[in-house]
Amino acid sequence: MKTRRGAYYSCHAAATAPGEGPEAVHRRKRRRTVSEGSPAAAGTPGVRLARDMFEELPDDLVVSILRDVAASAGSLADLAGAMLTCKRFRELGQSKVVLARASPRCLAVRAKAWSDDAHRFLQRCADAGNVEACYLLGMIRFYCLGGSCGSGAALMAAAAVRGHREALYSLAVILFNGSGGGKDDRDLRAGAALCARAASLGHVDALRELGHCLQDGYGVRRSVLEGRRLLIQANARELQAAVTASASMAGAGAGGGKGSAAPRRHSCLLSDFGCRAASGETHAANRFLVDWFASRPLGASAAAAPGGNGNPGTAAASPEEDGAGSLRLCSQAQCGRAETRRHEFRRCSVCGVVNYCSRACQALHWKMAHKAECTPTDRWLDVAVGGGGVAQANANANADAAP
């Protein structure tokens, strides 16, 4: 085996002192009781032997071990703990091979813990080719950090090219809304194509979005039957995920003894057909967006945020200048997406209170909550009385209404 110094390592030669056989070395190892950190360790042959053997391990072997640790890490603390074991682990842990295999849970940074160090770590992982880091950092830059829409979209595109279904769906939503640009920048056909690609990879929201697009003729040729079929397929996958989650909860309850509570059965699961479904696990990017805008005014903290706008020499516009005070969040609680310009999302055509970034979010929120809350409002009459007239009020309603 080749070592870092270029020499070839021989286990028998390194473990056997002059004049000793393998049996003597084995007996000497068993008699060794002095720890490496004790004062007598410096003069102990066994400790010197252990140190030499560790230093003789080839770099590629250590990197492969750290790569597996990064791929299975449940949090960033697990990977950091392994890298802080010694100086050599810390140096080799920065290699692209290790960072490219960092697990999604290892990359799932929280909004309240966002800092320049977290930004640099995600950037290093993205530069190493980590697809999950590309998508997560792209979403953060696009929606949270002012002036970084271009770099955020580029990172999501890099993840989408490599088949990341969440990135494909997010780019479809951006194209449907013209996010990061003007209303004329919308590309419905390209958005529908990206939805179809994400749906083929198993993304349920993309499948639901594509079904509604086919029903409404939004970016594709209208086909009510085909759209209905896709909606049924999306809800079947939703049902399968709910049953799997219930089965795992039942297994956990059975192993917990008498004190474990039995999981509740879902009497109805199809959200697109008037029923409730057990919501699946939200992606780390959406959780970050929800927490970010829950603690910061929309658009007001981009300039002061760690990591800034991605361009140190460019200052973000104030909320008064870019209309950030009038920007809105998607009303689907687990989405977290925010407008990048005024009136980008569409409102409910009945109450005008809730806003949605996509048809999928609208369908989910309608069946989960808004159906019981939606009531006609008198704001259109107020607009008409204020001088705009009934025709102007109706025009504003149609321009701002959700599909």
Side-chain angles (χ1 to χ4, degrees):
M1 182 182 296
K2 195 172 182 179
T3 67
R4 291 190 300 166
R5 299 186 181 90
Y8 286 89
Y9 173 73
S10 174
C11 296
H12 180 75
T16 306
E20 286 185 329
E23 296 81 3
V25 174
H26 180 68
R27 289 195 300 271
R28 177 158 50 82
K29 286 183 178 180
R30 295 185 61 181
R31 291 197 302 266
R32 187 178 61 201
T33 58
V34 182
S35 63
E36 184 178 350
S38 62
T44 305
V47 174
R48 289 200 305 270
L49 178 63
R51 287 178 177 175
D52 294 339
M53 291 179 64
F54 176 76
E55 291 296 330
E56 293 296 334
L57 288 176
D59 287 349
D60 56 355
L61 179 60
V62 179
V63 168
S64 66
I65 295 173
L66 292 176
R67 179 194 60 192
D68 293 339
V69 171
S72 60
S75 65
L76 181 58
D78 294 342
L79 179 59
M83 293 172 59
L84 293 177
T85 302
C86 63
K87 181 179 179 180
R88 187 180 180 192
F89 279 10
R90 185 168 61 253
E91 293 174 353
L92 296 179
Q94 303 296 326
S95 65
K96 291 186 176 181
V97 177
V98 177
L99 296 179
R101 291 290 302 276
S103 66
R105 291 187 177 182
C106 181
L107 299 171
V109 61
R110 295 174 297 177
K112 64 180 181 180
W114 181 251
S115 62
D116 290 332
D117 292 335
H119 195 175
R120 284 192 293 267
F121 173 72
L122 288 179
Q123 184 63 62
R124 288 199 300 269
C125 292
D127 293 340
N130 191 304
V131 181
E132 188 69 23
C134 289
Y135 171 65
L136 179 58
L137 184 57
M139 287 285 284
I140 293 173
R141 284 187 175 179
F142 192 90
Y143 289 104
C144 300
L145 306 183
S148 299
C149 289
S151 61
L155 285 171
M156 284 188 277
V161 168
R162 300 181 61 180
H164 193 278
R165 58 186 188 181
E166 293 284 351
L168 287 165
Y169 176 67
S170 294
L171 287 176
V173 173
I174 290 173
L175 290 174
F176 281 142
N177 297 320
S179 301
K183 188 175 182 179
D184 295 336
D185 294 326
R186 295 186 299 176
D187 192 337
L188 306 185
R189 290 185 177 274
L194 289 175
C195 269
R197 174 59 177 161
S200 67
L201 296 175
H203 196 283
V204 178
D205 285 341
L207 188 61
R208 180 180 287 109
E209 180 81 15
L210 186 60
H212 286 289
C213 287
L214 286 169
Q215 282 191 331
D216 302 333
Y218 193 74
V220 293
R221 184 176 181 179
R222 186 176 183 182
S223 176
V224 178
L225 293 178
E226 183 66 16
R228 188 73 171 176
R229 185 186 68 82
L230 293 182
L231 289 178
I232 294 175
Q233 185 178 354
N235 284 274
R237 294 185 182 181
E238 187 180 49
L239 173 62
Q240 181 182 5
V243 171
T244 303
S246 298
S248 62
M249 290 174 60
K258 297 181 179 180
S260 300
R264 295 185 300 174
R265 293 185 178 182
H266 300 281
S267 58
C268 46
L269 292 162
L270 304 182
S271 61
D272 279 323
F273 299 95
C275 305
R276 293 179 179 271
S279 58
E281 184 179 358
T282 308
H283 194 275
N286 297 101
R287 292 198 302 269
F288 186 96
L289 297 182
V290 171
D291 295 340
W292 179 275
F293 292 116
S295 58
R296 296 169 174 83
L298 181 58
S301 60
N309 51 16
N311 302 315
T314 305
S318 64
E320 292 77 9
E321 293 173 350
D322 61 4
S326 301
L327 299 181
R328 305 167 295 185
L329 292 170
C330 180
S331 297
Q332 214 282 86
Q334 296 179 346
C335 175
R337 290 180 176 86
E339 291 182 324
T340 58
R341 68 174 189 279
R342 297 183 62 184
H343 307 301
E344 178 181 332
F345 296 164
R346 280 166 289 189
R347 297 179 181 175
C348 175
S349 58
V350 178
C351 66
V353 175
V354 293
N355 320 283
Y356 302 109
C357 67
S358 62
R359 284 167 168 77
C361 284
Q362 179 198 7
L364 286 174
H365 190 244
W366 172 258
K367 299 302 181 183
M368 294 298 180
H370 191 55
K371 184 177 181 179
E373 303 170 353
C374 185
T375 55
T377 181
D378 295 334
R379 74 183 184 94
W380 313 122
L381 297 178
D382 295 339
V383 172
V385 172
V390 177
Q392 180 64 34
N394 292 333
N396 294 336
N398 293 331
D400 217 20

